[in-house]
Amino acid sequence: MMPAYRNSWLPEVFNDFFDTVHMPKANATAPAINVKETEQEYIVELAAPGMSKEDFDVNINHDGDLHIKMESKKEQKEEDKKAHYLRREFAYSKFEQTLILPDDVDKDKISAKVNDGVLSVTLPKMQKTEQKIARQITVG
């Protein structure tokens, strides 16, 4: 049984995320992702240990969806010639994902930052303007 969610986009984000990840198949794992919601915004957090802001490309594509690309651009260091890895799973080499955004996201105010190995993408919600109901009606 599928749990109930306040926003219908949330389950789709997870389904789309895990179904359409574009990564090399050998020794690759998808980074962990969190999605938080407050009254003012959604926050997508992506685990990216050892990555810097230069390793990311975050944009809104032509369809209005959030596109995140992560690629390690660090050069391989000269390794010890006397030792070799029997198994190596330490780093992500490449990750790319497109997330369909909910309708209430203000796409002009989206921001992203990397801090302590976590990419945080802030998706502000559009401010709803409340219409004032009380007013004077002129009798004609």
Side-chain angles (χ1 to χ4, degrees), residues 43-98:
I43 300 170
V44 176
E45 298 173 323
L46 187 80
M51 303 294 255
S52 65
K53 66 181 184 178
E54 291 79 19
D55 297 327
F56 293 96
D57 179 17
V58 180
N59 61 68
I60 301 294
N61 67 15
H62 296 294
D63 296 327
D65 301 327
L66 179 67
H67 183 256
I68 301 172
K69 183 178 180 182
M70 176 174 78
E71 187 171 2
S72 179
K73 298 174 183 163
K74 296 174 179 66
E75 294 180 19
Q76 293 293 334
K77 294 180 181 178
E78 195 75 31
E79 293 186 16
D80 185 355
K81 303 289 184 190
K82 296 178 185 177
H84 65 279
Y85 287 96
L86 298 176
R87 182 174 181 149
R88 188 173 186 177
E89 295 182 344
F90 256 56
Y92 307 117
S93 58
K94 188 174 183 180
F95 167 81
E96 191 168 347
Q97 179 61 45
T98 300

Side-chain angles (χ1 to χ4, degrees), residues 4 7 9 11 14 25-26 40-41 49-50 54 63 73 80 95 104 111 115 123 136:
N7 293 307
W9 77 279
F14 289 111
K25 297 295 182 198
Q40 297 83 23
E41 63 194 8
E54 291 79 19
D63 296 327
K73 298 174 183 163
D80 185 355
F95 167 81
D104 63 343
S111 63
N115 191 18
L123 310 166
Q136 181 65 39

Side-chain angles (χ1 to χ4, degrees), residues 3-52:
Y5 290 91
R6 280 187 6 193
N7 293 307
S8 61
W9 77 279
L10 196 57
E12 292 175 20
V13 167
F14 289 111
N15 290 341
D16 290 345
F17 180 80
F18 291 113
D19 290 343
T20 62
V21 173
H22 306 291
M23 294 182 63
K25 297 295 182 198
N27 292 333
T29 55
I33 186 172
N34 294 329
V35 179
K36 296 189 291 188
E37 179 185 10
T38 68
E39 288 185 25
Q40 297 83 23
E41 63 194 8
Y42 303 98
I43 300 170
V44 176
E45 298 173 323
L46 187 80
M51 303 294 255
S52 65

